[in-house]
Amino acid sequence: VVAIFFERYRYYSSHRSNTERLSAVMTDSLNRGDIEGLKDALKTDGGIPAGVLLSAVNVYGTKAHQATIIEGAAAHAAGLLKNYLNYLDVIVTLSPLMGLLGTVIGMIGSFVLSTAEGQPFAITGGVAEALVCTATGLFVAIIALIAYTYLSQQVSHYISSIEKLSSVYLAIAEGKEK
């Protein structure tokens, strides 16, 4: 959980785009017809939303359908953004179940040992020890759920930025073609 969280956090932090600045630069560059300037601005930004737009800007003025290119690039970017999040989802689901399994196995052992030795009150110590598995499983699930929720929110933020910049780009680019 910790490794996935830090890997994704670093990935997201290093691929941010300044959407407000890019939106202004894009509007200005497209209105002036400065496609090379727009390409440079997108490359300089280096973020994921900028990369999605760069794929469309690279074929600007050709017969390529801009919306289709953006959709494909956005789908690919969304896939990269969601890398490893499915593992966190599995950990959230699986860790309490593994904790319960450990508890059940511990309780079975506790009952078998206490009844074999003829000490029925010895069960309580074994039960308390077995419940550590449940507590550990729940702790891991809670941490994984917090990490998953935070990272999923970051993915949503990136997708929103991609949609915003794409809609501005397509509105101007398609307006120029007509």
Side-chain angles (χ1 to χ4, degrees):
V1 170
V2 172
I4 291 171
F5 178 79
F6 282 117
E7 187 279 334
R8 290 286 83 194
Y9 182 82
R10 287 184 57 194
Y11 181 79
Y12 297 156
S13 295
S14 65
H15 290 85
R16 292 202 188 285
S17 282
N18 185 340
T19 54
E20 297 303 319
R21 187 184 69 76
L22 283 179
S23 184
V25 168
M26 185 171 33
T27 302
D28 184 50
S29 296
L30 286 174
N31 285 333
R32 288 185 295 123
D34 183 16
I35 300 305
E36 291 305 315
L38 179 55
K39 284 181 186 179
D40 289 340
L42 292 171
K43 287 176 188 174
T44 301
D45 181 85
I48 290 174
V52 169
L53 285 178
L54 186 58
S55 64
V57 173
N58 281 333
V59 294
Y60 184 83
T62 66
K63 293 185 180 198
H65 191 255
Q66 297 286 300
T68 304
I69 290 172
I70 287 177
E71 286 174 16
H76 178 70
L80 292 175
L81 288 167
K82 292 177 184 177
N83 265 353
Y84 307 119
L85 293 188
N86 55 341
Y87 294 122
L88 286 179
D89 190 29
V90 169
I91 291 169
V92 167
T93 304
L94 190 59
S95 57
L97 296 176
M98 289 182 69
L100 287 173
L101 177 63
T103 299
V104 169
I105 291 170
M107 290 183 74
I108 289 171
S110 179
F111 283 116
V112 169
L113 286 176
S114 66
T115 56
E117 295 175 3
Q119 298 178 353
F121 295 109
I123 294 173
T124 56
V127 170
E129 187 176 322
L131 288 175
V132 170
C133 293
T134 302
T136 303
L138 290 173
F139 177 75
V140 170
I142 290 167
I143 298 301
L145 183 59
I146 291 169
Y148 178 80
T149 303
Y150 175 80
L151 295 174
S152 293
Q153 182 60 36
Q154 294 299 307
V155 169
S156 295
H157 173 73
Y158 274 99
I159 290 172
S160 176
S161 295
I162 290 169
E163 289 173 349
K164 177 185 177 183
L165 290 173
S166 297
S167 64
V168 169
Y169 173 79
L170 288 173
I172 297 170
E174 290 174 356
K176 288 251 184 222
E177 291 175 1
K178 293 181 181 182

